[in-house]
Amino acid sequence: MAGRFEPLAGGGAAVALDEVEISILRSLTQQLAELIGPGEEPAEGDDPLASLFTEGPSEPPSDAALARLFPDAYGDPGKPGPDDDELQGYSAEFRRFTENDLRGGKRTAALQVIRSLDELAAQGKDGGVLKLNAEESQQWLGTLNDLRLTIGTRLEVTDEDEGGELYRLPDSDPRKPMVMAYLWLGALQETLVETLMP
């Protein structure tokens, strides 16, 4: 089971992680949660009902990784088209009413991953077997995906790079640890997807 998710009865999943893997996953997930941030929070003392209707940002994030995590809903900013202005307006409107919730969901999932890693680390210094129920498995899947998207964006990985030069970097290249993390997270994500498929 080392390094692979395996199915559990009831729709959950389990994976054996050692102390170093727990530490790396926790650190990366903490950084992801900080990058995502809480979104726009209502001011203290605001009506709780009004906070349900708090509008978020209308502009895409300037950080490339955040833009990858929270892409425009309409159109492709890299490929302008004849209705580009209209699509940007739709995307801005959609973003205003959804991005805060999306950020909150991603942050909640990341924090759950951190909690489960902390619980596993507390069981023993050498790691152990992490057991997730069906809901936790979905949170892990989303967070692993977000981690890969973020690291891939930082490394400027494209579809054409799959199996390309990034995977053959010399050990002296400063990008090598991030590439190794990217590949490892991809393998974890793939086995979790396989585990959760009916």
Side-chain angles (χ1 to χ4, degrees):
M1 181 190 308
R4 300 186 46 85
F5 278 96
E6 300 288 342
L8 289 177
V15 63
L17 298 170
D18 65 30
E19 180 184 11
V20 173
E21 292 169 327
I22 292 169
S23 177
I24 292 169
L25 270 171
R26 191 188 190 293
S27 175
L28 290 172
T29 306
Q30 181 67 43
Q31 292 174 56
L32 176 67
E34 290 170 5
L35 175 68
I36 291 170
E40 294 294 322
E41 295 288 325
E44 191 173 323
D46 276 0
D47 177 6
L49 183 59
S51 70
L52 293 175
F53 302 100
T54 301
E55 292 182 11
S58 59
E59 294 295 319
S62 58
D63 182 286
L66 283 175
R68 184 78 170 101
L69 294 176
F70 304 104
D72 277 338
Y74 300 96
D76 184 350
K79 298 178 183 174
D83 300 326
D84 197 41
D85 289 339
E86 186 177 1
L87 292 178
Q88 284 181 355
Y90 293 151
S91 289
E93 195 72 6
F94 186 80
R95 184 179 298 280
R96 272 184 35 210
F97 294 108
T98 61
E99 187 169 313
N100 284 344
D101 285 341
L102 292 173
R103 279 182 187 264
K106 287 180 182 293
R107 185 172 174 79
T108 297
L111 293 176
Q112 176 55 44
V113 168
I114 291 169
R115 278 191 293 277
S116 60
L117 290 168
D118 287 347
E119 289 170 9
L120 182 61
Q123 293 175 12
K125 65 176 187 149
D126 296 329
V129 176
L130 177 69
K131 294 181 180 179
L132 307 170
N133 62 34
E135 181 181 349
E136 291 166 337
S137 296
Q138 290 298 325
Q139 291 172 320
W140 265 76
L141 186 58
T143 298
L144 288 172
N145 186 60
D146 290 346
L147 284 168
R148 286 201 71 226
L149 288 173
T150 301
I151 293 171
T153 302
R154 296 287 190 242
L155 290 170
E156 299 179 351
V157 173
T158 64
D159 291 339
E160 293 79 38
D161 289 330
E162 292 296 326
E165 70 178 60
L166 274 180
Y167 305 99
R168 294 186 294 276
L169 291 176
D171 290 342
S172 59
D173 193 299
R175 297 172 295 169
K176 182 77 173 204
M178 290 305 284
V179 170
M180 298 305 292
Y182 179 77
L183 295 172
W184 176 56
L185 292 167
L188 276 177
Q189 181 183 8
E190 184 177 342
T191 63
L192 183 53
V193 168
E194 290 169 358
T195 297
L196 297 177
M197 290 177 69

